[in-house]
Amino acid sequence: RDEFEIFAQQLSGKSRYSSLELMEAMYSLAQAGYQQEDIFKILPATLELATAQNYDLEESTRIIVSSMSAYGSKINEVSRYTNAFAAANSASQLSMEDMGYAIKYMNPTLSALGMTIEQGLAMVAVLRDIGYKGEGAGRVIRDMFNDMVATTPKATAILREHGLQIYKNQEE
């Protein structure tokens, strides 16, 4: 038996997830380019989150890993991310599904602006509590910040030099 199988069996004995579900989550991490050492660090934290949120393990792992990637975080920060998602869930009406949809839209913009996952999830939580579902909340956050970032004349000139424009109605 290989180390992955042994690890999956050890974790499944302590959780509601089967060895097969754990192996599938590990396979997804390996497909994403993570090495064994990293997989063995990530999975226990995402397993704890998935269990606490009663959510799919593989999807919980994907949500955490994609968020970490978007913000350029290191593997040793996985607990920070799982804690942020758990806190957002318990402080609002957010579900893991809502957060999974929201991050697709907000993470690239917020990380480019130097904001944190905690700040993004706090905004999503507020929007969820006033009726926005995950995807809608993520789009509102993305669009709000994109609209606030004004294009400078210098940037516009450089884009024009290359035959590009930001808005369709941008002056020629």
Side-chain angles (χ1 to χ4, degrees):
R1 295 182 338 169
D2 74 0
E3 292 179 51
F4 287 104
E5 287 179 31
I6 293 167
F7 189 63
Q9 287 180 344
Q10 289 171 346
L11 290 177
S12 72
K14 301 174 187 174
S15 77
R16 70 177 191 87
Y17 298 97
S18 69
S19 294
L20 178 60
E21 289 170 302
L22 288 153
M23 289 295 290
E24 288 170 349
M26 286 190 271
Y27 182 74
S28 292
L29 288 169
Q31 278 188 311
Y34 290 95
Q35 300 301 312
Q36 179 179 340
E37 180 182 333
D38 296 335
I39 292 169
F40 285 9
K41 289 178 185 173
I42 293 169
L43 200 57
T46 60
L47 174 63
E48 189 175 308
L49 177 68
T51 301
Q53 304 304 319
N54 195 29
Y55 197 61
D56 181 75
L57 175 60
E58 189 173 357
E59 185 63 14
S60 295
T61 302
R62 185 200 60 76
I63 289 168
I64 295 300
V65 169
S66 66
S67 291
M68 290 176 61
S69 177
Y71 290 91
S73 297
K74 306 257 186 262
I75 298 300
N76 64 356
E77 294 181 82
V78 68
S79 291
R80 176 181 148 225
Y81 279 78
T82 57
N83 290 339
F85 279 84
N89 175 265
S90 50
S92 70
Q93 298 177 40
L94 275 174
S95 66
M96 280 300 292
E97 184 176 26
D98 282 327
M99 291 184 277
Y101 285 125
I103 65 165
K104 291 178 190 179
Y105 295 97
M106 71 173 197
N107 279 355
T109 299
L110 297 184
S111 71
L113 293 172
M115 298 181 78
T116 65
I117 189 67
E118 292 86 356
Q119 291 169 319
L121 290 173
M123 287 183 267
V124 172
V126 169
L127 289 171
R128 180 64 183 106
D129 285 348
I130 62 170
Y132 286 89
K133 296 219 180 219
E135 189 170 353
R139 285 180 176 168
V140 165
I141 292 165
R142 176 199 64 196
D143 294 347
M144 175 183 67
F145 282 101
N146 284 343
D147 289 346
M148 289 172 35
V149 178
T151 307
T152 65
K154 183 177 179 181
T156 302
I158 291 170
L159 289 170
R160 282 188 185 149
E161 285 177 24
H162 297 284
L164 302 171
Q165 62 185 34
I166 296 175
Y167 302 106
K168 287 184 180 179
N169 63 352
Q170 191 176 16
E171 292 180 22
E172 294 295 312

